[in-house]
PDB file of all heavy atoms in Angstrom:
ATOM      1  N   TRP A 215       0.710  -8.212  -4.505  1.00 86.00           N
ATOM      2  CA  TRP A 215      -0.088  -7.179  -3.849  1.00 86.00           C
ATOM      3  C   TRP A 215      -0.587  -7.629  -2.480  1.00 86.00           C
ATOM      4  O   TRP A 215      -0.505  -6.884  -1.507  1.00 86.00           O
ATOM      5  CB  TRP A 215      -1.279  -6.760  -4.735  1.00 86.00           C
ATOM      6  CG  TRP A 215      -2.005  -5.624  -4.122  1.00 86.00           C
ATOM      7  CD1 TRP A 215      -1.722  -4.296  -4.286  1.00 86.00           C
ATOM      8  CD2 TRP A 215      -3.097  -5.678  -3.202  1.00 86.00           C
ATOM      9  NE1 TRP A 215      -2.569  -3.521  -3.528  1.00 86.00           N
ATOM     10  CE2 TRP A 215      -3.429  -4.363  -2.854  1.00 86.00           C
ATOM     11  CE3 TRP A 215      -3.821  -6.712  -2.637  1.00 86.00           C
ATOM     12  CZ2 TRP A 215      -4.463  -4.059  -1.971  1.00 86.00           C
ATOM     13  CZ3 TRP A 215      -4.845  -6.411  -1.760  1.00 86.00           C
ATOM     14  CH2 TRP A 215      -5.151  -5.086  -1.442  1.00 86.00           C
ATOM     15  N   HIS A 216      -1.091  -8.849  -2.364  1.00 89.00           N
ATOM     16  CA  HIS A 216      -1.644  -9.321  -1.088  1.00 89.00           C
ATOM     17  C   HIS A 216      -0.570  -9.371   0.005  1.00 89.00           C
ATOM     18  O   HIS A 216      -0.818  -8.973   1.140  1.00 89.00           O
ATOM     19  CB  HIS A 216      -2.304 -10.686  -1.249  1.00 89.00           C
ATOM     20  CG  HIS A 216      -3.531 -10.646  -2.106  1.00 89.00           C
ATOM     21  ND1 HIS A 216      -4.712 -10.101  -1.686  1.00 89.00           N
ATOM     22  CD2 HIS A 216      -3.737 -11.060  -3.373  1.00 89.00           C
ATOM     23  CE1 HIS A 216      -5.609 -10.187  -2.650  1.00 89.00           C
ATOM     24  NE2 HIS A 216      -5.035 -10.761  -3.689  1.00 89.00           N
ATOM     25  N   ASP A 219       0.405  -5.733   0.899  1.00 91.00           N
ATOM     26  CA  ASP A 219      -0.689  -5.115   1.658  1.00 91.00           C
ATOM     27  C   ASP A 219      -0.692  -5.617   3.096  1.00 91.00           C
ATOM     28  O   ASP A 219      -0.761  -4.835   4.042  1.00 91.00           O
ATOM     29  CB  ASP A 219      -2.020  -5.418   0.972  1.00 91.00           C
ATOM     30  CG  ASP A 219      -3.201  -4.862   1.742  1.00 91.00           C
ATOM     31  OD1 ASP A 219      -3.264  -3.621   1.901  1.00 91.00           O
ATOM     32  OD2 ASP A 219      -4.056  -5.650   2.187  1.00 91.00           O
ATOM     33  N   TYR A 254       4.722  -1.730  -1.201  1.00 88.00           N
ATOM     34  CA  TYR A 254       3.271  -1.710  -1.409  1.00 88.00           C
ATOM     35  C   TYR A 254       2.929  -0.930  -2.680  1.00 88.00           C
ATOM     36  O   TYR A 254       2.123  -1.367  -3.493  1.00 88.00           O
ATOM     37  CB  TYR A 254       2.625  -1.096  -0.176  1.00 88.00           C
ATOM     38  CG  TYR A 254       1.126  -1.024  -0.176  1.00 88.00           C
ATOM     39  CD1 TYR A 254       0.362  -2.166   0.008  1.00 88.00           C
ATOM     40  CD2 TYR A 254       0.470   0.188  -0.309  1.00 88.00           C
ATOM     41  CE1 TYR A 254      -1.015  -2.113   0.039  1.00 88.00           C
ATOM     42  CE2 TYR A 254      -0.911   0.259  -0.278  1.00 88.00           C
ATOM     43  CZ  TYR A 254      -1.642  -0.893  -0.109  1.00 88.00           C
ATOM     44  OH  TYR A 254      -2.998  -0.821  -0.078  1.00 88.00           O
ATOM     45  N   ALA A 257       3.695  -2.768  -5.846  1.00 87.00           N
ATOM     46  CA  ALA A 257       2.812  -3.912  -6.116  1.00 87.00           C
ATOM     47  C   ALA A 257       1.670  -3.538  -7.045  1.00 87.00           C
ATOM     48  O   ALA A 257       1.004  -4.406  -7.597  1.00 87.00           O
ATOM     49  CB  ALA A 257       2.276  -4.478  -4.800  1.00 87.00           C
ATOM     50  N   GLY A 258       1.437  -2.247  -7.241  1.00 80.00           N
ATOM     51  CA  GLY A 258       0.419  -1.818  -8.194  1.00 80.00           C
ATOM     52  C   GLY A 258      -0.972  -1.715  -7.595  1.00 80.00           C
ATOM     53  O   GLY A 258      -1.153  -1.727  -6.384  1.00 80.00           O
ATOM     54  N   MET A 259      -1.953  -1.650  -8.492  1.00 76.00           N
ATOM     55  CA  MET A 259      -3.341  -1.505  -8.085  1.00 76.00           C
ATOM     56  C   MET A 259      -3.840  -2.795  -7.433  1.00 76.00           C
ATOM     57  O   MET A 259      -3.444  -3.886  -7.839  1.00 76.00           O
ATOM     58  CB  MET A 259      -4.221  -1.183  -9.293  1.00 76.00           C
ATOM     59  CG  MET A 259      -3.940   0.160  -9.916  1.00 76.00           C
ATOM     60  SD  MET A 259      -4.265   1.535  -8.799  1.00 76.00           S
ATOM     61  CE  MET A 259      -6.029   1.572  -8.832  1.00 76.00           C
ATOM     62  N   PRO A 260      -4.719  -2.658  -6.450  1.00 74.00           N
ATOM     63  CA  PRO A 260      -5.301  -3.868  -5.844  1.00 74.00           C
ATOM     64  C   PRO A 260      -5.989  -4.724  -6.906  1.00 74.00           C
ATOM     65  O   PRO A 260      -6.659  -4.188  -7.784  1.00 74.00           O
ATOM     66  CB  PRO A 260      -6.329  -3.303  -4.860  1.00 74.00           C
ATOM     67  CG  PRO A 260      -5.864  -1.913  -4.573  1.00 74.00           C
ATOM     68  CD  PRO A 260      -5.213  -1.438  -5.842  1.00 74.00           C
ATOM     69  N   PRO A 261      -5.817  -6.027  -6.835  1.00 68.00           N
ATOM     70  CA  PRO A 261      -6.390  -6.901  -7.863  1.00 68.00           C
ATOM     71  C   PRO A 261      -7.915  -6.859  -7.908  1.00 68.00           C
ATOM     72  O   PRO A 261      -8.503  -7.161  -8.930  1.00 68.00           O
ATOM     73  CB  PRO A 261      -5.884  -8.291  -7.482  1.00 68.00           C
ATOM     74  CG  PRO A 261      -5.401  -8.177  -6.096  1.00 68.00           C
ATOM     75  CD  PRO A 261      -5.059  -6.752  -5.842  1.00 68.00           C
ATOM     76  N   HIS A 262      -8.562  -6.447  -6.834  1.00 61.00           N
ATOM     77  CA  HIS A 262     -10.023  -6.389  -6.825  1.00 61.00           C
ATOM     78  C   HIS A 262     -10.556  -5.100  -7.458  1.00 61.00           C
ATOM     79  O   HIS A 262     -11.754  -4.940  -7.603  1.00 61.00           O
ATOM     80  CB  HIS A 262     -10.567  -6.563  -5.409  1.00 61.00           C
ATOM     81  CG  HIS A 262     -10.016  -5.572  -4.432  1.00 61.00           C
ATOM     82  ND1 HIS A 262      -8.800  -5.776  -3.801  1.00 61.00           N
ATOM     83  CD2 HIS A 262     -10.477  -4.383  -3.985  1.00 61.00           C
ATOM     84  CE1 HIS A 262      -8.557  -4.751  -3.004  1.00 61.00           C
ATOM     85  NE2 HIS A 262      -9.554  -3.892  -3.096  1.00 61.00           N
ATOM     86  N   PHE A 263      -9.682  -4.180  -7.863  1.00 59.00           N
ATOM     87  CA  PHE A 263     -10.097  -2.986  -8.599  1.00 59.00           C
ATOM     88  C   PHE A 263     -10.060  -3.336 -10.084  1.00 59.00           C
ATOM     89  O   PHE A 263      -9.217  -2.871 -10.832  1.00 59.00           O
ATOM     90  CB  PHE A 263      -9.160  -1.813  -8.328  1.00 59.00           C
ATOM     91  CG  PHE A 263      -9.325  -1.148  -6.997  1.00 59.00           C
ATOM     92  CD1 PHE A 263     -10.077  -1.706  -5.978  1.00 59.00           C
ATOM     93  CD2 PHE A 263      -8.723   0.065  -6.762  1.00 59.00           C
ATOM     94  CE1 PHE A 263     -10.214  -1.073  -4.761  1.00 59.00           C
ATOM     95  CE2 PHE A 263      -8.853   0.710  -5.539  1.00 59.00           C
ATOM     96  CZ  PHE A 263      -9.602   0.141  -4.534  1.00 59.00           C
ATOM     97  N   THR A 264     -10.992  -4.149 -10.521  1.00 60.00           N
ATOM     98  CA  THR A 264     -10.940  -4.651 -11.899  1.00 60.00           C
ATOM     99  C   THR A 264     -11.020  -3.524 -12.919  1.00 60.00           C
ATOM    100  O   THR A 264     -10.397  -3.606 -13.971  1.00 60.00           O
ATOM    101  CB  THR A 264     -12.064  -5.668 -12.149  1.00 60.00           C
ATOM    102  OG1 THR A 264     -13.316  -5.064 -11.825  1.00 60.00           O
ATOM    103  CG2 THR A 264     -11.866  -6.906 -11.294  1.00 60.00           C
ATOM    104  N   TRP A 265     -11.766  -2.469 -12.638  1.00 55.00           N
ATOM    105  CA  TRP A 265     -11.850  -1.344 -13.582  1.00 55.00           C
ATOM    106  C   TRP A 265     -10.499  -0.654 -13.737  1.00 55.00           C
ATOM    107  O   TRP A 265     -10.156  -0.217 -14.821  1.00 55.00           O
ATOM    108  CB  TRP A 265     -12.921  -0.336 -13.161  1.00 55.00           C
ATOM    109  CG  TRP A 265     -12.666   0.268 -11.812  1.00 55.00           C
ATOM    110  CD1 TRP A 265     -13.133  -0.185 -10.612  1.00 55.00           C
ATOM    111  CD2 TRP A 265     -11.881   1.421 -11.524  1.00 55.00           C
ATOM    112  NE1 TRP A 265     -12.681   0.605  -9.588  1.00 55.00           N
ATOM    113  CE2 TRP A 265     -11.908   1.608 -10.122  1.00 55.00           C
ATOM    114  CE3 TRP A 265     -11.147   2.313 -12.297  1.00 55.00           C
ATOM    115  CZ2 TRP A 265     -11.239   2.654  -9.494  1.00 55.00           C
ATOM    116  CZ3 TRP A 265     -10.486   3.350 -11.661  1.00 55.00           C
ATOM    117  CH2 TRP A 265     -10.532   3.518 -10.283  1.00 55.00           C
ATOM    118  N   ALA A 266      -9.713  -0.573 -12.653  1.00 55.00           N
ATOM    119  CA  ALA A 266      -8.402   0.067 -12.731  1.00 55.00           C
ATOM    120  C   ALA A 266      -7.426  -0.797 -13.516  1.00 55.00           C
ATOM    121  O   ALA A 266      -6.550  -0.282 -14.209  1.00 55.00           O
ATOM    122  CB  ALA A 266      -7.860   0.340 -11.332  1.00 55.00           C
ATOM    123  N   ASN A 267      -7.567  -2.105 -13.402  1.00 53.00           N
ATOM    124  CA  ASN A 267      -6.681  -3.009 -14.120  1.00 53.00           C
ATOM    125  C   ASN A 267      -6.980  -3.038 -15.615  1.00 53.00           C
ATOM    126  O   ASN A 267      -6.211  -3.584 -16.390  1.00 53.00           O
ATOM    127  CB  ASN A 267      -6.771  -4.424 -13.529  1.00 53.00           C
ATOM    128  CG  ASN A 267      -6.219  -4.470 -12.125  1.00 53.00           C
ATOM    129  OD1 ASN A 267      -5.314  -3.701 -11.773  1.00 53.00           O
ATOM    130  ND2 ASN A 267      -6.761  -5.328 -11.299  1.00 53.00           N
TER     131      ASN A 267
END
Side-chain angles (χ1 to χ4, degrees):
W215 185 87
H216 293 287
D219 177 62
Y254 182 74
M259 294 297 285
H262 56 276
F263 285 12
T264 55
W265 60 268
N267 293 330

